[in-house]
Amino acid sequence: MLSRWAPRKHTKSGVYLYGQDRLEIVDFGRKTDMLTSMPGSFDRDKTLVLPPEETSEDAAGRAVPEPVIAQLDAHLALMGVGFSYGEMEPADIELMMQTAYLVLRDTGRRPIEISSLRLKCLEAHGDENTLIWDNVKKRRYGRKLPITRETAAVIRTWQARRRQLEVPSRSQKYLFPSITDRSGIAHMGASLANAMREWVAAIPVLLSDELDEQGNRLPFDRSLIFPYAFRHSYAQRHADAGVPVDVLKELMDHRSIVTTMSYYQVSLKRKREAITTMRKHTIDRSGRPAPFTSTTDYEAQSVAVPFGNCREPSNVKAGGKACAIRFQCAGCGFYRPDPSYLPAIEEHVNDLRADRETAKAMDADDFVVRNLTDQITAFTNVADTMRDRLRRLPQDEREEIEEASGVLRKVRATRDHKLLPLTVIGKETPDAC
Ligand code: SF4
């Protein structure tokens, strides 16, 4: 009796056979009368065949919240303590498990993709570090993911220790070796989940952001902390930071943008609440308060353009694509930015500065440099005014605006996504890393 999800087998030829592959061999054998001598009971059992994996596997909602991750990080030293792993020394087990957790947290790869990382899984070019990993689920190998210097340093520390260790001969090329040569797979398997479960159980207090009737924070449900949930956290973190959906799709190595989009779904209620907060904090190009009279006014009488809202009627009608003066918004009477645009404005000022340097290097005419300087001054004034107004608000109101800003940026990231040729993911053989 064979199940689709029967564990894979490593054959003498070095070829992996998954449960599904074996079912197909049985089907083929039956159809071609090549298995006539095999008993009838050796067949696929339909009741054990699970439906194809749903595309919602990566759906949002199962992310470990960032405040909970911060509490886990504060107890990192407990990860792997008391966990046994074959002949490995306790200090090495702890370092290995802590490394695996940090890489899981920082890269958002699936647990199997972390467990099966190669020993040579890092590439460095100057200050840029890349993780080479295999998309085991989709069988796309030698994928590349940009990672931070800190994450790369964590991996390097373990790589150095790992090279000094005696590991099962089959595990030589893996970053996280298996327990013994008799293990079913050549690299770490379920131990990461088991070590995590023990670690989470050993942390004395883990609180959620929810409050009880007395205003005390409620305990966080520890069963929601498991390796795969950190993939959701990674996606949610990037979505909340306003990373465009097409970029996140590449980072997650999704084929379909629909899967990635699930992380950007913002309920209509949350969006309207965010607008209700934000509409009171819009200013005009001179920094004077220019609040929208209602949520409907904000939505119907303005359109989001790259650095703020625009109230110019023909541009509103054209969905923001018909600006007659090429988005020189900081000099336009129809410009209505709010704090949710601050990161975009700051980035734009940096771009304008770079353009000005280029213009000077090209010996461009004075009017070109002057125009860029005027835009830099105007946008900087807008940003300074908003920051100053935010600073003078009470803490709780500031936090409310920050949250609303995140929601609105997410809405815009979904709507505005452009397909950018941002991530180069080369196909390489696993041995190349
Ligand atoms: S420059 Fe004026 S009209 Fe053009 S997008 Fe900006 S605010 Fe709207």
Side-chain angles (χ1 to χ4, degrees):
M1 200 163 58
L2 296 173
S3 146
R4 176 182 174 188
W5 302 109
R8 63 185 183 177
K9 291 282 182 210
H10 192 244
T11 66
K12 281 183 188 160
S13 65
V15 174
Y16 282 116
L17 286 183
Y18 284 77
Q20 181 64 28
D21 299 327
R22 282 181 281 151
L23 289 178
E24 282 164 13
I25 289 171
V26 171
D27 287 346
F28 179 78
R30 295 276 183 226
K31 270 187 210 151
T32 53
D33 288 336
M34 291 170 75
L35 298 177
T36 47
S37 58
M38 195 171 280
S41 58
F42 190 83
D43 203 356
R44 64 160 75 214
D45 183 321
K46 288 196 175 65
T47 61
L48 291 179
V49 177
L50 299 179
E53 203 154 351
E54 291 181 15
T55 52
S56 62
E57 177 219 41
D58 281 330
R62 286 185 283 166
V64 181
E66 292 301 320
V68 174
I69 291 180
Q71 295 171 69
L72 293 174
D73 291 351
H75 293 88
L76 181 65
L78 294 178
M79 173 61 155
V81 173
F83 194 78
S84 61
Y85 203 83
E87 305 290 307
M88 204 181 272
E89 293 293 326
D92 293 327
I93 299 172
E94 289 165 26
L95 182 59
M96 179 173 72
M97 290 305 178
Q98 289 169 17
T99 304
Y101 159 70
L102 292 172
V103 180
L104 185 71
R105 180 198 69 183
D106 293 352
T107 67
R109 299 309 89 184
R110 298 179 180 92
I112 181 66
E113 293 155 359
I114 299 295
S115 303
S116 61
L117 283 173
R118 307 286 165 148
L119 183 56
K120 295 177 191 166
C121 62
L122 277 185
E123 263 183 17
H125 299 288
D127 265 359
E128 288 174 13
N129 291 285
T130 307
L131 182 77
I132 315 289
W133 62 284
D134 293 336
N135 185 336
V136 178
K137 184 180 166 197
K138 299 294 179 189
R139 303 186 198 185
R140 297 199 288 268
Y141 302 104
R143 315 299 285 170
K144 296 187 177 184
L145 180 78
I147 56 173
T148 64
R149 204 170 21 190
E150 291 75 21
T151 310
V154 165
I155 295 173
R156 281 196 190 97
T157 302
W158 170 245
Q159 273 176 330
R161 181 64 193 133
R162 158 67 187 79
R163 286 194 172 98
Q164 296 168 346
L165 296 177
E166 274 197 30
V167 299
S169 53
R170 291 170 58 203
S171 300
Q172 294 296 338
K173 62 182 179 184
Y174 291 103
L175 184 64
F176 302 115
S178 62
I179 297 177
T180 71
D181 257 327
R182 295 181 304 283
S183 304
I185 48 176
H187 49 75
M188 187 195 283
S191 296
L192 175 56
N194 295 336
M196 182 172 285
R197 194 165 40 244
E198 288 186 19
W199 171 43
V200 170
I203 295 175
V205 181
L206 266 179
L207 298 174
S208 72
D209 273 352
E210 290 175 30
L211 304 177
D212 65 14
E213 286 170 2
Q214 283 75 45
N216 302 314
R217 286 171 73 188
L218 290 165
F220 186 74
D221 180 354
R222 294 171 194 239
S223 69
L224 300 178
I225 304 172
F226 50 92
Y228 205 99
F230 291 91
R231 179 164 170 80
H232 296 267
S233 303
Y234 173 88
Q236 195 63 56
R237 194 181 311 141
H238 284 75
D240 287 346
V243 171
V245 68
D246 51 307
V247 178
L248 185 53
K249 170 182 169 284
E250 297 294 325
L251 291 174
M252 298 291 283
D253 202 27
H254 287 150
R255 273 279 158 84
S256 161
I257 209 160
V258 176
T259 310
T260 314
M261 290 283 278
S262 61
Y263 292 97
Y264 284 85
Q265 280 167 3
V266 179
S267 72
L268 204 55
K269 184 166 167 276
R270 276 187 77 202
K271 182 183 163 194
R272 286 191 77 84
E273 281 169 1
I275 292 175
T276 303
T277 300
M278 203 55 75
R279 71 174 178 80
K280 302 176 213 148
H281 298 282
T282 46
I283 59 174
D284 65 15
R285 67 173 163 151
S286 319
R288 284 186 297 259
F292 285 88
T293 52
S294 67
T295 306
T296 311
D297 191 29
Y298 185 107
E299 286 192 283
Q301 304 300 323
S302 75
V303 65
V305 289
F307 322 114
N309 292 304
C310 166
R311 295 203 75 155
E312 201 282 310
S314 57
N315 197 27
V316 173
K317 206 167 156 195
K321 295 188 172 25
C323 173
I325 57 171
R326 294 170 187 266
F327 300 101
Q328 300 190 69
C329 301
C332 175
F334 291 104
Y335 184 43
R336 294 291 182 276
D338 64 49
S340 67
Y341 288 95
L342 261 174
I345 295 171
E346 284 160 359
E347 202 182 317
H348 187 50
V349 169
N350 288 338
D351 288 347
L352 287 168
R353 287 200 175 111
D355 289 351
R356 184 173 58 181
E357 290 315 304
T358 308
K360 284 179 184 169
M362 291 167 64
D363 199 22
D365 205 311
D366 276 355
F367 80 86
V368 176
V369 176
R370 221 171 30 244
N371 175 282
L372 289 165
T373 301
D374 289 348
Q375 284 197 68
I376 291 167
T377 307
F379 275 113
T380 302
N381 285 342
V382 166
D384 286 349
T385 306
M386 272 195 290
R387 272 194 296 264
D388 193 44
R389 288 168 61 83
L390 284 173
R391 250 193 309 273
R392 283 188 270 120
L393 291 173
Q395 171 81 10
D396 56 344
E397 205 172 332
R398 244 189 349 251
E399 282 171 7
E400 195 186 348
I401 291 172
E402 255 166 44
E403 198 186 325
S405 295
V407 170
L408 292 177
R409 281 200 288 269
K410 210 186 295 181
V411 171
R412 292 198 291 265
T414 311
R415 200 208 53 191
D416 294 343
H417 84 269
K418 299 182 240 65
L419 294 173
L420 303 174
L422 275 173
T423 310
V424 179
I425 301 180
K427 188 172 180 183
E428 298 178 9
T429 61
D431 289 332
C433 54

